Amino acid sequence: MTAEDVLNNKKVTARVDLLVLATGIVPNTAGLPEQFTRDEFNFLVNAPGKTGVYSAGCVRRPEEVSATVQDGTGAALKAFQCAVRSANHG
């Protein structure tokens, strides 16, 4: 395992049998309307059948950077599709 010690600006390498990463992430949903569906940990839930609002990234679930980017791209595409359908069907 290689990790970066950002406080001391150096890399640390160690051989391990098991590595557990406990992020303890908490979603930043303060200030959002209470009508948004949340799970038991206060993450937003994309409710089935509800269109127009799509949560993505770490407000939806704990994830790494690349997964967050993919999730955000997917949510943006869903929102775009929703807008196009709305424009075409008045």
Side-chain angles (χ1 to χ4, degrees):
M1 175 278 314
T2 301
E4 184 177 356
D5 179 348
V6 294
L7 297 177
N8 296 311
N9 197 27
K10 63 181 180 179
K11 289 193 177 185
V12 179
T13 302
R15 188 172 184 90
V16 297
D17 293 325
L18 176 67
L19 178 67
V20 177
L21 177 61
T23 60
I25 191 167
V26 176
N28 185 6
T29 56
L32 293 177
E34 290 301 316
Q35 295 87 347
F36 290 144
T37 307
R38 292 169 168 82
D39 67 10
E40 66 272 22
F41 302 108
N42 212 33
F43 288 98
L44 297 184
V45 176
N46 290 332
K50 196 172 189 179
T51 59
V53 177
Y54 304 98
S55 60
C58 292
V59 76
R60 194 162 76 95
R61 67 175 170 255
E63 37 185 34
E64 59 162 20
V65 174
S66 64
T68 299
V69 171
Q70 290 175 353
D71 201 30
T73 301
L77 289 172
K78 286 179 188 175
F80 179 74
Q81 289 171 341
C82 182
V84 168
R85 280 192 211 112
S86 179
N88 289 335
H89 298 294

